[in-house]
Amino acid sequence: SQTIHQWPATLVQPVGSPLSLECTVEGTSNPNLYWYRQAAGRGLQLLFYSVGIGQISSEVPQNLSASRPQDRQFILSSKKLLLSDSGFYLCAWVETGPTEAFFGQGTRLTVV
Amino acid sequence: GQSLEQPSEVTAVEGAIVQINCTYQTSGFYGLSWYQQHDGGAPTFLSYNGLDGLEETGRFSSFLSRSDSYGYLLLQELQMKDSASYFCAPGGSYKLIFGSGTRLLVRP
């Protein structure tokens, strides 16, 4: 069966520090992968999506970047965090066509 | 481009029926999905409509009208545990965009 792993679950980072969040999927190949951010009580903001290795589409210009070094690995990074980067980060995958998405447990990031 | 509209909040009484609407505008549309998210948790898939009409899954049903670019999620026999946020998500391009979500509060 397919599973998605996202870590860490919670993270507290100082302003200006780097960030690396990792997401891996098991039990499937060539998934479409997505990174979202959710502010408290708000909707899901699509940050990046990838349809294949090395293929990254950015939805929101900001100080975040994403990479897909392997088929089932999706990484969200930042060189210098801002206070406004705080939020709930969610990784998701879709097997074929955006019909049913499966989400990781999420990472609650607090920038202090 | 893509746009989605959902009511921001709905309140209902336990045991009642509630309908959450979603209107969308997206290119290459081919279906509408619904997700549930409890506070602090990740969204989970509820249903998908690839064709016009009503899809029923237990207490939850979802409806799609392509000609009206409209869909809804119907929750019956509401339970306290149904208090959560509900998101619609049109399937079209590789981009998976979610509506702003509807916060459902179920009261005793």
Side-chain angles (χ1 to χ4, degrees), chain B residues 14 37 85:
Chain B
E14 196 174 11
Q37 184 183 29
S85 293

Side-chain angles (χ1 to χ4, degrees), chain A residues 32 34 36 38 42-44 46 49 51 59 88 90 94 97-101 103-105 108, chain B residues 30 33 35 37 40-45 48 87 90-100:
Chain A
N32 293 341
Y34 304 81
Y36 294 90
Q38 186 176 36
R42 305 295 293 274
L44 299 168
L46 178 63
Y49 67 97
V51 300
E59 287 298 298
F88 190 42
L90 288 154
V94 177
T99 55
E100 180 176 354
F103 286 84
Q105 65 173 357
R108 193 161 305 280
Chain B
Y30 59 79
S33 301
Y35 294 79
Q37 184 183 29
T44 56
F45 173 81
Y48 171 73
F87 297 89
S93 64
Y94 290 113
K95 284 170 55 173
L96 183 55
I97 303 292
F98 288 78
S100 56

